[in-house]
């Protein structure tokens, strides 16, 4: 499980997620990128449409900041069995 910050300095979380998902599809070249890799978006920019943008990029779930412990627990419990 990856908690992916959307606003990173070199490469944002959207682009990083797209690369991970592309590598998962190319098993011959990237055999260690096995499925499932659960990616949870984390962002302070909780604006309308952000969740959908993250999910469209290949993320599995979304946590707005400030992150609350009960929300982290809920997400972990939801995806732990995957």
């Amino acid at each position: 499980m990856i908690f992916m910050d959307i606003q990173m300095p070199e490469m944002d979380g959207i682009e990083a997620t797209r690369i991970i998902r592309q590598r998962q599809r190319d098993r011959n070249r990237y055999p260690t990128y096995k499925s499932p890799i659960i990616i949870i978006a984390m962002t302070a920019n909780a604006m309308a449409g952000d969740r959908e943008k993250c999910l469209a990029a290949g993320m599995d779930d979304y946590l707005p900041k400030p992150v609350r412990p009960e929300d982290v627990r809920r997400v972990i419990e939801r995806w732990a069995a995957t």
Side-chain angles (χ1 to χ4, degrees):
M1 183 177 292
I2 299 170
F3 287 92
M4 182 73 73
D5 192 339
I6 301 305
Q7 296 178 319
M8 297 185 292
E10 295 294 319
M11 176 188 301
D12 70 28
I14 299 288
E15 183 62 23
T17 298
R18 287 187 182 129
I19 290 169
I20 290 168
R21 296 304 188 212
Q22 287 170 352
R23 290 180 180 186
Q24 282 183 291
R25 289 188 293 274
D26 190 355
R27 290 276 175 96
N28 291 327
R29 203 162 158 206
Y30 302 100
T32 59
Y33 281 76
K34 298 177 181 175
S35 295
I37 297 174
I38 304 302
I39 302 175
I40 312 300
M42 295 182 76
T43 182
N45 280 350
M47 304 250 240
D50 284 347
R51 177 182 174 83
E52 291 75 21
K53 185 177 177 182
C54 291
L55 297 177
M59 296 181 189
D60 299 292
D61 215 330
Y62 179 87
L63 281 173
K65 292 178 184 177
V67 176
R68 300 180 322 192
E70 60 269 19
D71 292 338
V72 174
R73 181 181 179 140
R74 175 186 49 81
V75 166
I76 290 171
E77 288 174 350
R78 176 182 303 144
W79 295 102
T82 304

